[in-house]
Each structure stands twice: as C-alpha cells, then as structure tokens.
Amino acid sequence: MGFDPSSVFLTFDIGCSSNMGDFLNGYALHGLHGRAIPTAIGMKLANHKMPVIAVMGDGGCYGEGGNHLLHACRGNHDITVLVFDNGVYGLTTGQVAPTAKKGFKSKSTPAGVIETPINPLSLTISQGATFVAQGFAGNQSQLAELIGKGIAHKGFSLINILQPCVSFNPTRSFDYYKEKTYLLPESYNAGDFRKALDEVEESVLQEKFPLGVIYETEKPVFTDGLIQLADKTLVDKSPITHLESILQDFK
Amino acid sequence: MNKKFLWKIGGEAGFGIMTVGLNFSKIAAHSGYHIFDYTEYPSLIRGGHNTYEVLVSPDIVGASKKTIDLLVCLNKDTFELDKERLARDSMVIYDGDEFAPEGNYQLISLPLRAILKEEEAKEIMLNNIALGASLALMDWDLKYLEEIFIEAFSKKGNDIVEVNKKVARRGFDYIKKNYSELIVKDFPIRQAETKVVLTGNESFSLGSIAADCGLYCAYPMTPASSVQTVLANYAEKTGMVVRHSEDEIAVINTAIGSSWAGVRSAVGTSGGGFALMVEGISLAGMLETPLVIFLSQRPAPATGMPTWTEQGDLLFAVNAGHGDFPKIVLAPGDVQEMFELTVKAFDLADIYQTPVIVLSDKFLSESHQSLDLQKISDFSKNYKPNRGKIVAQVQGQTYQRYQVTDDGISPMLIPGAKGIFYQSNSYEHLENGYTTEAADERIKQADKRNRKLETYLKKDFQKPEIYGDFNKSEIVFISWGSNKGPILEAMKELENASLIHFTHVYPLDQGILIPFFPEGKRYILVENNQTGQFGRLLRGETGIEIKEKLLKYDGRSFWPEEIIKYVKPRRI
C-alpha cells in the first residue's frame, strides 16, 4: 500500500493479539484492555490524514470494549479494527471468550458456558459499520488482501480474523477452521445490506464461517461532519485568536 | 454606606429563574459593580424550587452573604423558605393578589399577574416584570436589559422583544410611582472597567480556548456539563473538536489518543464519571501523555446530591490511578484563578507529559463572578503555549521515546514525522518503548517518571498565597479551592485573621511548606467536606498537622457569617 512505519498510526489493545505492538513497526500506542477503539478515534480526530489501525482480540473488542464497538460503527469513524478471534482468553491462560461456543468448558466456565456466542459480523453490519470482512489465519494471502481493503476503505472497517489458539483452545484447531470456513462465491454482492445480514445471521450458531468481504458501503465518515477539520488536521490547526470576540458574549 | 447588596429571586422551576438571575448579574456588572452569584436548584427539569441570588459590591466579592436585602418572591414558597434570611430593612417583592407575607419588612406589593394579563404576556415573563421592578429599586435603568432582550429574542421576532421590554417597563414604572421612597441610593450607575460575568465552568472553557486546547471530550455530568456546552457552541469559531463519547472510559481514552498524536486535549466530568476514567489516568501516567482533566465535585458517594456542592473528591483525585506515577492537582479558588490555572494546567501537562487535574466544585463551577475583560483579553494575547519537550522533529534516527533524563522528562516527538517511528507503551518499557520485564529497566523508568515530581516542585510548584497580615494575625485559616471567597468575605469582619490559600494542592513539599506554619497561632482548617481531606493530605505529605477544623458537608458552601460565628464566640 506504499506505507512505511512513519506513515501509519497503530493502537494495540491488551492480549496475545496486541502484543504485536513489539513486532509491528509504526507510530504505536499500546494502551488498555478493551480501549483500542476510543484511542484510535482520538488519533484519527487529531490527525485524520493518517491511516489508523486498531489491533485487538475478541475479548477486548467484543467483551471489555463492546460499548465502544457499537458507537464506533454508528459514528463511521475512519479506522480499521483487526480482531483476532480464537474463542478464548489466551493471555490469562484459558478463560471463556464472548465468541466461544455455548457449552465451552474453560477455566472460568468448568461446567460449560451458558451464554450463546456473540456474532461480530451481524452486530457490526447492523450498527452501521461500512466495511465488514472475515479472514482466516490459514488463508494468509486472502487475509492480507482483506486487511489492505479494510485500510483503503474510507469509514469504519472491521476484519474478524479466525485463528486457532494452540495452547488454550483445543476446540478451535486449525482443522476445525479448515472444515467450518468457506469462501464467499464470486457472485456474492457485498453491497447488499439485507443479503449480508442473511449470510451471517446463522453463521456463528451453525459454525459455518464465510471468508471474504461480507459487507461494504460508502457513507460520510465522522470527520467529514466536522467543519473544523475541513482545511487542516487538528494537530496542524492554527492557534486560536478569537478570545477577544468570544469575551464580548459574556459582558 | 452598606458596601454589599444582596438580591435574591425564587420561584418554581420553569419560571426562568436562571435567566433573570444572570441578567441581573450582567446589568449590575454593566452598572459598574462587582458581583458574585449563586444558584440553588433540585436535580429535576421541571417542578421544585429554584433560586438565584446576586451579591452586588463596589469591591471584588467571592461569596454571598446571609442577609437578603431584596427578596423577589415569584411564589409563596420563596418567602417561606427564605424569611429567616430577612432583616427589618429587607425589601420583599411579592404579588399581593397571590399572598401576603407576614413580618416586619419593607413590603412591596407588585401586581405581577395582573400586569401579565393586561399585557397579554406569557407566564414565563413574570420574571421580567420583577426584574424591571428590581432595577428601579437599585436606581439603575432599563437600557442594558433592553439590549439583552434584543440580543436574545430578535431572532424570534420583534413582537417578542417588545413585549419583554413592555413588561419590564411596567415593573420599573410601578416602583417609581408607588415605592420611590424605597429606592436604594448606595449603588448609582458608575463608570468602571468593562467586565465579563463568568461561572467557573465558563472560565475553564475560556481558559481552554486561550490555551489552544484542540480536543475536549466529555460525557455529560452535573456540575461539569456546561463546559462541554460552552465549548461546543464556540467549536466552529475556535476550531476545537468537542466530542461527546459513549461513556467516560471512551472519553479519556479518546483524549489520550489525540494527545498522543500531538493535540492539546482535555476531558471533564464529576466524581462518578471521574471514577470511570481512573484506569485511563494511570495509562496517561505510564504512556507519559499530557492530559488535562477537569473534575467538578458534588456531594457523593454514588449519585449523591447532583446539583449541590462539596470538596469531597480531593483525596480521590490525588490518588486516582493504580501504581505510582506523577500527577499534578490544581484547585482554583475563584473564577479568575480558574482561568489562569486552566491555562497553566495545559502548560504543565505538556511540560511534565502527565495528567493534570483541575479541581472545581458546584459552588465554583456554577457561580458567576465579574472579571475585568481587558485583563483576560491581554493575558490571552500575550500567552504562548509552553509545550516543554514536545517537538515536531528530532535529529538523527536514534530517537528514544522514554530516554532517561535528569529531570525525568523525555523529548516527545509528535507522531507522524518521517523516517522515525516508536511505540508508547502501557507495559513497562525500555527507553525505546519496547516491552520489558527486566528489574533494572523497570527501576530506571519508574525513577525517571517519578523525577518529574521533583522537577515540578523545584520549578513550577506555586506556594500557597497568604491573604491578610500573617504576622499580626492570631487566627490563620488554612484552606484550598473555592472556600477562598467565603473566607475572604469573613476576614473583612475579623481584624486578626489571615488565610493560607492553596491552589497547587498536589504534590506538596515539606521543606517549602513548613515555614508557613510558625508556632503560636491558632490554625483552623476550613474545608467543604466531612473528613478534612486536605488536612489529611497535608499531614501525609509534609507532617504538618492542623488540629482545629471547621468542616461543612451538607451540600452547601460556607457562609462568611458561619466562619465569623465559629471564630468569634471562642475569642471571648
């Protein structure tokens, strides 16, 4: 994409996924668990000409930071969120994640998890995300392409990345994903909101995971609505010189 | 001459009490006087009782007083609730068709509702009849009020402007005709420097604008909410981005993101919202990202008393955030100090690359004071942001974000510069920002961060201000923040008292502060909280213990009279 490490802002959550902070070169903020999205929004508001990528796990994005995800979708903030989805909390050695299958026995749910898993794709599409894709760690060339498309997309993009946790989640092995994922057909139209929702509605419960761009549309992004940012980025804005005239209003 | 005059209006919520009160304040300032105002209202949008009181004085004033000189009763409740604050000379305006107050006061029966009916005006305009009458009693005129009406209502149509003018004139003329003997002669319209009338929140807002704050992020919470409203209203003019995020956790992390990217950023809230921000404060301390946090206190715990005042969050603010990291807490004592310290807070946050908390409370946040317009204007014209070691470019390729330095402050490169990159890291890190768990590296970075406090105490800590003649005084009040006004007003009636007023409340330094407390004086700690939190902080940080305490935690600020009464009987 023609980027070098100086031309991208990265924000990392907390988790195995986000330890990528020590391996991926870029201007990076390695922040708090669940908070990579608001941090990314702040970066984008400060310098909306820079691409901003948030790297998170399923726990941080769909659990701890779930509220931020909902509102980032509806704001269509021009950031790219990469979610490493392995159905388990690996860094804390094997507790249940919000994406785990109902009944999954983990360290925090020895009798099996009672809740049904979250559906990140239908959730984000329905809340206004303008680019939603799913990739698989076992299909690296497609995944790279999806990430590239997500970054190039103007608006909120989420890429859910299915991947095994070889240490703490034997139920989500490489073979499991090989069997349960499928490529979207050539004929699939990612611009159709209804179809996209239909495609993913049952995918999590039925464990049939589509790979590819699920939904994509064009809408004004959050910073388009800020007249303050029409000419310059916030970080380059000229100093305020209007206090004198504002003071007149308080006489 | 009676140097202070207290006007108070009361009525049902929805009667426009806040508007009429502010207009009285502005007209008083325009007539050449200083004002201090104070409002009371319940946490409801309709119903309940609202009041607004304005103290008028030729001198700067920092608190109200107990005795009301003119009480405007838009309903009977106003009289019943406030009659204990009336003296024999106090004037009472009431609608004789509604009720008749009992008592030996200067009673002024004003046919509010009859006038309203004759002018076919809406009930909301009752307050302007009363305001017109009040201005007549002050011996002021209607000119400035009429300008205010044009400014406020011309968009709604000339009819609205005219009917407002008309009803105010009716009230004004009624007094001139029927009660001219009661007109106050002590406050004639006089020439004085042009004043602005600001609340503490407005002062914080203007200070942020002056300091070139680029992003203000908040989630509404009384009594901090009006900062967001003011800044949002001026956002297009100032270029500031004012964001209302989904919750306070998002608020602080968004501000950290934008500050990290080089933009001066601030957040604002009250105690409950601040509680949600606490993890973010610790993050800003670790990342060494500048951040200004406006915390306007109200009585707690939990939801507490949302529209009332208290200084109960001092120790919470000082201790907010897990782990040891540097933090600066400032507590302005009045609206002028709020402006100056807000600007300073942005500089300190940048210089020390760490969170700076500006503490307010409902009393300071929502009370208006009159300030010299020119003084603020000149200050902002001459102000240049001091961003310390924050830079847009660095020489060479060996930049290290967390370089160990003698003063604890590392150069911060604004992200985006070509040819370089780095990670700001929530994990303990090496000088280059990469994660580490090595014991010696941990110590290096922890010590580096902590050295910023030593540097601050040497270079930027401002000693407490002494008011009154300390050497001659027998009684020394020790206080912080918004108690300054009531204490200074009390001191006007006490010959032998002085005040040590703290604005830079954390960190504190034993060596600097011990000389402030020589033996042989009666030291009294005055705080608007239950447990004397500043006293505990002072003792913990410096070993100085103030045994005598005057504490108030009923949701109200101190009355100067309460302070006088506390001190005086014990002198006999």
Side-chain angles (χ1 to χ4, degrees), chain B residues 83-124:
Chain B
K83 63 185 177 192
E84 54 156 10
R85 289 178 61 191
L86 296 170
R88 274 188 66 138
D89 307 343
S90 300
M91 295 182 278
V92 179
I93 292 180
Y94 63 100
D95 187 342
D97 299 330
E98 292 281 308
F99 73 101
E102 282 174 23
N104 203 357
Y105 314 112
Q106 302 284 0
L107 297 176
I108 302 171
S109 175
L110 179 67
L112 289 163
R113 281 158 190 87
I115 294 174
L116 206 64
K117 216 168 175 184
E118 283 167 36
E119 299 298 340
E120 295 177 352
K122 288 182 186 150
E123 203 181 17
I124 185 83

Side-chain angles (χ1 to χ4, degrees), chain A residues 92-155:
Chain A
T92 48
T93 70
Q95 299 82 4
V96 72
T99 45
K101 190 179 170 184
K102 184 175 168 64
F104 176 58
K105 289 183 179 169
S106 75
K107 283 188 180 171
S108 57
T109 55
V113 61
I114 295 165
E115 296 101 317
T116 52
I118 206 159
N119 184 330
L121 307 178
S122 62
L123 178 71
T124 50
I125 293 168
S126 67
Q127 294 311 307
T130 51
F131 182 99
V132 176
Q134 186 155 262
F136 168 43
N139 187 343
Q140 292 178 14
S141 60
Q142 186 204 26
L143 180 57
E145 195 184 311
L146 291 174
I147 293 173
K149 281 184 181 165
I151 295 168
H153 173 77
K154 196 167 180 250

Side-chain angles (χ1 to χ4, degrees), chain B residues 256-267:
Chain B
I256 288 169
S258 75
S259 177
W260 172 89
V263 170
R264 280 194 158 180
S265 302
V267 301

Side-chain angles (χ1 to χ4, degrees), chain A residues 37-39 41-42 45 67-68 71-72 74 77 222, chain B residues 215-220 228 241-255 266-268 277:
Chain A
I37 288 176
T39 315
I41 288 171
L45 290 173
N67 197 28
H68 308 314
H71 293 274
R74 76 183 179 92
H77 295 274
F222 189 85
Chain B
L215 177 105
Y216 182 78
C217 200
Y219 184 94
Q228 191 175 20
V241 170
V242 182
R243 175 153 167 76
H244 173 166
S245 299
E246 61 271 17
D247 57 36
E248 286 87 349
I249 300 172
V251 163
I252 194 162
N253 284 284
T254 299
V267 301
M277 293 184 182

Side-chain angles (χ1 to χ4, degrees), chain B residues 389-438:
Chain B
K389 294 190 194 176
I390 300 178
V391 291
Q393 294 294 333
V394 286
Q395 300 296 319
Q397 298 283 312
T398 54
Y399 173 73
Q400 303 212 87
R401 172 66 188 97
Y402 299 110
Q403 185 194 344
V404 173
T405 57
D406 289 342
D407 61 7
I409 307 160
S410 316
M412 175 184 149
L413 174 66
I414 294 176
K418 284 287 157 208
I420 299 172
F421 63 89
Y422 65 83
Q423 176 181 220
S424 297
N425 201 340
S426 162
Y427 282 96
E428 190 55 275
H429 38 257
L430 304 169
E431 284 183 88
N432 62 16
Y434 287 97
T435 304
T436 185
E437 293 176 353

Side-chain angles (χ1 to χ4, degrees), chain B residues 3-5 33-35 55-61 187 190:
Chain B
K3 285 232 169 105
K4 295 179 190 170
F5 188 92
Y33 293 91
H34 283 283
I35 64 100
L55 189 74
V56 182
S57 166
D59 308 314
I60 290 174
V61 275
F187 300 89
R190 57 175 203 166

Side-chain angles (χ1 to χ4, degrees), chain B residues 513-527:
Chain B
L513 293 175
I514 281 191
F516 279 80
F517 298 90
E519 295 279 326
K521 308 245 182 221
R522 180 180 165 199
Y523 294 101
I524 305 171
L525 180 73
V526 182
E527 292 196 60

